[in-house]
Amino acid sequence: MMRKPLIALSSIATVSLLAAGCGSPASTGAATTTKTSTNSTNTSGATTDAKSPIQLTYDYPVGVAGPLAKIMSSMVDQFNQTHPSIHVTPVFSGNYQQTLAKVETAIQGGNPPDVAVLNSTAVYDLLHLQAIAPLDDVVNAGNFYPAFIQPQVNGHYWGVPFQRSTVVLYYNKDMFKKAGLDANHGPNTWSELVSDASAIKSKLGVNGIEIPSDGTTYWTFEPWATEAGQNLGGNDGKHVYFNSQAAKKALNFWLDLSNKYHVMPAGILQWNTVPTDFEQQKTAMITHSSGSMTSILKQSNFNVGVAFLPMETGTQRTGLGGGDMFVMQGISKQKHDAAVTFVQWMTSPAQAAAWTMQTGYIGDSPDVYKQAAMVSYLKQYPQAQVAADQLKYAQPELSTYSLNQVYDVIDSALQSVMDGQASTNSALDKAQKQANSILAQFQ
């Protein structure tokens, strides 16, 4: 029986209303619940007879635009058809924060899903709940990108990379040419970003750039703070650096794009609206998840460039995001083995390549980019290689205990500044104190 240590879940009620970033606002094209068409609801039994398939429940989030729930259901259907001894029921559970809150509640109630895609950064909370089983054999047998599997926590790998992403810069090549800019690359530095955006604004009369700042704002913001010299989080789940000089410099730069250089709309910009503005040529550049790439490429009636985020300190850096597949602790050995089989299949190079081509999420290993279908796809859409190339500069994403509570703190602080309700110093200093208070019990 799974033990159920008590934890504070005060953020659960609030996150259900939140828009989320890379876990951003629950996306379009997703039904509330999706289930495959066959079989009964035998999800509680630890054993099944020889003729009945082992039943698994599988919770997953959708964090970007596009019909991802439909794509996911199709993949699971394919697994079920090729593995008659196992039947997986996929359940769309909202954005990343909503899915984590739902799974944590289910864990507390003793009825968790068997498998779930959750923020890779949720590992500390999941371990605190004694909710997940180590997956060392699966990870060690794969050839996953090192950036996706580090650091180990408590000496084990707990999640297998699945729908991972980085923040990238999308730019309209046609607009760049019309404004007299070099369309072969995006801006390399923050100062180039300002000059390129200013040229676009003055010559074409559209926004130079838009950066989403609602939902899980920390995720789109963290790479800028990292570029300025400091990640938002430490490496132990217990410390954050919300009021570092780097974070304040990055947030002030965001403000300057609106208030000083007038190349970005003022106020909070919506996660779902920013790609639409880009596709409708209301802005020449945006930063967004690489997981939005396939949708953006399909919806844009112009030449789309994809680039690394611009540098500030002369050293290229970026952040990571997205989810891992976790297998829950406390399920029967039959279910555990079936769940591992499912995870191995979903993260295999062939399936990962299919997922990458349909979504834009980064392939989980270099082997994905050697698949024949992927090689052909890259010839048509070389932009899909950019996020994978950016991985060598990736820094760990903010990951702490009481993850949703900590995310609430930094997201609220960033939004209060972008909305003109607080100064950078006061908001980030307050956020640091609040986060320190939340994390004190773990230090």
Side-chain angles (χ1 to χ4, degrees):
M1 185 70 179
M2 183 181 299
R3 287 178 287 176
K4 297 179 288 184
L6 296 176
I7 63 167
L9 293 175
S10 59
S11 66
I12 291 176
T14 57
V15 298
S16 65
L17 301 176
L18 279 175
C22 165
S24 276
S27 181
T28 58
T32 302
T33 300
T34 56
K35 292 188 176 184
T36 48
S37 59
T38 60
N39 272 300
S40 62
T41 56
N42 177 25
T43 59
S44 60
T47 61
T48 59
D49 62 55
K51 296 181 180 178
S52 300
I54 299 169
Q55 300 286 333
L56 298 176
T57 54
Y58 166 48
D59 283 15
Y60 69 94
V62 172
V64 295
L68 269 71
K70 182 178 179 181
I71 297 168
M72 181 68 79
S73 290
S74 177
M75 288 182 68
V76 174
D77 280 344
Q78 185 180 352
F79 174 83
N80 287 337
Q81 291 165 8
T82 55
H83 297 76
S85 63
I86 303 170
H87 185 270
V88 178
T89 299
V91 181
F92 166 62
S93 303
N95 61 38
Y96 275 102
Q97 286 183 302
Q98 290 165 342
T99 300
L100 177 59
K102 175 180 181 289
V103 171
E104 286 183 344
T105 301
I107 292 167
Q108 293 282 3
N111 188 33
D114 302 300
V115 187
V117 173
L118 299 168
N119 307 72
S120 62
T121 53
V123 63
Y124 292 107
D125 271 352
L126 295 171
L127 288 175
H128 184 60
L129 288 166
Q130 302 176 37
I132 50 176
L135 295 171
D136 298 309
D137 290 345
V138 178
V139 174
N140 287 326
N143 183 30
F144 299 109
Y145 283 112
F148 288 157
I149 60 174
Q150 297 297 335
Q152 288 182 301
V153 179
N154 296 342
H156 293 285
Y157 297 116
W158 301 93
V160 181
F162 178 63
Q163 55 182 36
R164 304 299 295 275
S165 55
T166 63
V167 181
V168 295
L169 185 138
Y170 297 89
Y171 67 100
N172 185 321
K173 288 188 169 185
D174 297 350
M175 283 188 174
F176 265 51
K177 290 179 180 177
K178 290 178 181 177
L181 302 172
D182 186 349
N184 293 315
H185 62 81
N188 293 315
T189 65
W190 289 13
S191 61
E192 283 186 28
L193 172 63
V194 171
S195 62
D196 287 357
S198 297
I200 294 284
K201 183 76 174 182
S202 63
K203 295 181 179 179
L204 304 182
V206 302
N207 295 324
I209 186 167
E210 293 184 9
I211 301 172
S213 49
D214 74 329
T216 48
T217 313
Y218 86 90
W219 190 69
T220 46
F221 174 75
E222 185 170 34
W224 299 84
T226 304
E227 289 276 10
Q230 177 66 61
N231 287 25
L232 293 180
N235 58 6
D236 59 3
K238 304 174 183 177
H239 298 88
V240 298
Y241 303 99
F242 291 167
N243 66 342
S244 70
Q245 290 305 308
K248 292 178 178 179
K249 180 179 181 180
L251 188 52
N252 283 329
F253 181 69
W254 274 23
L255 285 175
D256 285 347
L257 290 174
S258 299
N259 301 332
K260 180 178 179 181
Y261 304 117
H262 307 291
V263 296
M264 183 168 77
I268 296 173
L269 303 183
Q270 303 298 310
W271 174 266
N272 282 341
T273 302
V274 165
T276 303
D277 285 353
F278 180 72
E279 292 155 10
Q280 296 178 353
Q281 305 197 63
K282 296 178 180 178
T283 181
M285 292 181 280
I286 63 171
T287 66
H288 216 267
S289 170
S290 58
S292 300
M293 190 176 301
T294 299
S295 177
I296 288 174
L297 293 176
K298 286 183 177 179
Q299 298 299 324
S300 299
N301 188 28
F302 52 86
N303 291 307
V304 176
V306 179
F308 291 0
L309 292 183
M311 296 181 291
E312 166 57 8
T313 61
T315 301
Q316 190 75 55
R317 295 188 181 94
T318 189
L320 284 173
D324 282 355
M325 299 190 79
F326 293 96
V327 173
M328 295 300 149
Q329 187 71 271
I331 60 178
S332 70
K333 185 177 186 306
Q334 271 189 316
K335 282 199 168 192
H336 173 85
D337 292 347
V340 168
T341 297
F342 175 59
V343 170
Q344 287 175 319
W345 186 86
M346 290 286 283
T347 58
S348 66
Q351 299 308 319
W355 180 246
T356 295
M357 289 185 286
Q358 293 181 88
T359 62
Y361 282 109
I362 305 171
D364 54 27
S365 73
D367 297 338
V368 171
Y369 295 89
K370 299 175 184 175
Q371 300 297 301
M374 192 70 190
V375 171
S376 177
Y377 180 80
L378 287 173
K379 290 179 180 177
Q380 185 175 3
Y381 300 107
Q383 300 98 322
Q385 184 68 50
V386 173
D389 291 343
Q390 197 174 221
L391 285 178
K392 67 184 72 170
Y393 307 112
Q395 301 296 308
E397 183 183 2
L398 174 63
S399 177
T400 69
Y401 291 95
S402 297
L403 188 66
N404 275 345
Q405 287 180 277
V406 173
Y407 281 175
D408 284 349
V409 166
I410 185 62
D411 290 341
S412 296
L414 295 170
Q415 289 162 16
S416 70
V417 174
M418 297 306 293
D419 203 26
Q421 302 299 313
S423 69
T424 294
N425 284 342
S426 65
L428 294 184
D429 288 346
K430 179 182 177 182
Q432 183 69 48
K433 290 179 181 177
Q434 291 175 322
N436 287 344
S437 177
I438 293 170
L439 295 172
Q441 63 180 307
F442 304 105
Q443 294 171 352

